[in-house]
């Protein structure tokens, strides 16, 4: 049973879920330290790493808990609707019978409680009692994130079945993940940070787009109207190229705004496998064979997050 729940949590999706937090934390921690005395950290690059802060690890745990909740809910929702009976890729636990509907529903409830608890702890550590307004806004944001995680496939009006999955992934993985994490450190919004947030958002949508390209046959058969189903394979491929190219341009624009050293361009290394992914998608004739590409793009996004964070320190 434990192994089945581990499979249902889909560990390969977790690096993608924390990518936005990594970028936002790197940028936020650096800018916060610069406001309290940059001369103290001028020659101490390790001091600029956010991994020594409790905010970073609580934010990482929050992102992971939301992702696991989303994966459980997705397994449950698609299982109830019968979407997963003839799906490509890794097997789903509810549809395969490894986990019952009742057991998965209970897991969703428990994970929701855990996610909310970690979120509240993160909010308290970041804002304390003196920033009640910020704390309240982030609490509402946590509730919205939980709702979005569940409503992707669960319920009569699941947005993943009407082509809105891409928008929600872009907003929550990109904008909320990066800008929200940045705000936890600085207590302010820096509009330049929206550029790397857009990059993370677009790359996260690219992973979802690959998933929907792979599943287009079963989704059509089960009336799951994803954006890929609406666009068709040819246009969905063009859409995929634009997502990755747009992510690169947005990141390049961000680095160029405050360019000081060539080491700030190390983020470009993450786009080498992404460029290969574009080529693979272009020549692909059998959508089900794209399953292995999901992991590649997700890990490339994770690598991009780390490299972009490190490049900000070099800058």
């Amino acid at each position: 049973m434990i192994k089945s729940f581990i499979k249902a949590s889909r560990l390969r999706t977790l690096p993608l879920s924390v990518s936005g937090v990594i970028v936002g934390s790197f940028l936020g921690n650096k800018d916060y330290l610069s406001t309290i005395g940059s001369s103290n950290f001028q020659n101490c690059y390790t001091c600029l790493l956010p991994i020594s802060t409790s905010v970073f690890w609580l934010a990482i745990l929050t992102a992971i808990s939301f992702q696991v909740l989303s994966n459980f809910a997705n397994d449950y929702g698609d299982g109830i609707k019968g979407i997963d009976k003839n799906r490509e890729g890794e097997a789903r636990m509810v549809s395969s019978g490894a986990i019952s509907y009742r057991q998965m529903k209970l897991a969703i409830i428990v994970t929701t409680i855990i996610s909310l608890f970690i979120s509240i702890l993160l909010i308290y550590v970041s804002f304390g009692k003196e920033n009640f307004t910020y704390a309240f806004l982030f609490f509402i944001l946590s509730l919205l994130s939980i709702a979005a995680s569940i409503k992707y496939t669960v319920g009569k009006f699941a947005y993943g079945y009407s082509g809105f999955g891409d928008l929600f992934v872009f907003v929550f993985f990109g904008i909320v993940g990066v800008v929200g994490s940045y705000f936890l450190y600085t207590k302010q919004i820096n509009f330049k940070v929206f550029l790397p947030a857009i990059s993370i958002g677009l790359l996260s949508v690219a992973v979802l787009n690959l998933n929907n390209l792979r599943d287009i046959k079963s989704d059509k058969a089960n009336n799951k109207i994803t954006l890929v189903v609406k666009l068709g394979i040819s246009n969905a491929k063009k859409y995929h190229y634009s997502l990755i190219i747009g992510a690169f341009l947005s990141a390049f624009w961000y680095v160029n705004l405050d360019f000081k050293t060539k080491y700030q361009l190390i983020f470009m290394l993450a786009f080498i496998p992404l460029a290969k992914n574009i080529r693979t998608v272009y020549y692909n004739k059998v959508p089900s064979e794209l399953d292995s590409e999901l992991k590649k793009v997700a890990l490339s996004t994770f690598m991009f997050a780390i490299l972009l964070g490190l490049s900000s320190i070099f800058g």
Side-chain angles (χ1 to χ4, degrees), residues 18-227:
V18 301
S19 296
V21 172
I22 290 172
V23 172
S25 295
F26 263 99
L27 303 182
N29 187 57
K30 178 179 71 71
D31 286 356
Y32 167 71
L33 292 177
S34 69
T35 64
I36 61 175
S38 59
S39 60
N40 295 329
F41 306 99
Q42 189 173 10
N43 297 311
C44 179
Y45 291 123
T46 57
C47 298
L48 298 175
L49 296 175
I51 58 174
S52 61
T53 66
S54 56
V55 170
F56 175 77
W57 293 110
L58 286 172
I60 289 289
L61 288 175
T62 299
I64 290 175
S65 66
F66 286 158
Q67 184 62 51
V68 172
L69 174 61
S70 178
N71 291 339
F72 283 171
N74 186 256
D75 200 305
Y76 176 81
D78 281 348
I80 284 182
K81 294 178 175 67
I83 299 295
D84 290 334
K85 289 182 178 179
N86 298 303
R87 75 182 305 275
E88 303 288 346
E90 59 185 350
R92 295 292 175 82
M93 297 299 100
V94 170
S95 63
S96 67
I99 299 175
S100 68
Y101 294 117
R102 184 177 180 181
Q103 289 170 330
M104 185 59 82
K105 189 174 183 178
L106 179 61
I108 291 172
I109 294 172
V110 171
T111 308
T112 298
I113 294 172
I114 293 173
S115 300
L116 191 57
F117 173 78
I118 298 174
S119 299
I120 293 172
L121 187 58
L122 170 63
I123 292 169
Y124 179 78
V125 169
S126 180
F127 299 116
K129 298 178 180 179
E130 61 274 13
N131 292 299
F132 176 78
T133 301
Y134 293 156
F136 179 74
L137 289 174
F138 267 75
F139 177 71
I140 297 299
L141 188 60
S142 297
L143 294 179
L144 291 174
S145 298
I146 289 172
S149 297
I150 296 174
K151 289 296 293 180
Y152 180 68
T153 59
V154 175
K156 186 177 180 180
F157 301 104
Y159 63 85
Y161 285 74
S162 53
F164 288 101
D166 297 56
L167 176 61
F168 277 79
V169 165
F170 176 79
V171 170
F172 283 96
F173 278 68
I175 306 303
V176 174
V178 176
V179 179
S181 298
Y182 179 88
F183 193 90
L184 291 172
Y185 290 86
T186 63
K187 314 300 185 294
Q188 63 182 10
I189 292 178
N190 182 346
F191 287 98
K192 289 195 299 184
V193 176
F194 277 86
L195 289 172
I198 289 172
S199 294
I200 292 293
L202 292 177
L203 291 176
S204 299
V205 173
V207 175
L208 176 62
N209 190 60
L210 281 173
N211 180 83
N212 292 338
L213 273 168
R214 180 199 64 192
D215 295 341
I216 185 171
K217 184 177 179 180
S218 61
D219 287 345
K220 277 184 176 180
N222 291 283
N223 200 34
K224 184 177 181 179
I225 312 301
T226 64
L227 193 57

Side-chain angles (χ1 to χ4, degrees), residues 234-276:
S234 179
N235 286 330
K237 285 185 175 183
K238 295 175 183 176
Y239 171 58
H240 186 75
Y241 313 148
S242 68
L243 291 171
I244 294 178
I245 294 172
F248 173 82
L249 292 176
S250 187
F252 187 80
W253 185 5
Y254 171 75
V255 170
N256 190 59
L257 287 176
D258 192 30
F259 185 77
K260 291 184 176 67
T261 169
K262 61 184 179 181
Y263 294 111
Q264 289 175 261
L265 298 175
I266 59 171
F267 79 89
M268 297 173 67
L269 293 174
F271 282 88
I272 295 176
L274 290 171
K276 292 181 178 179

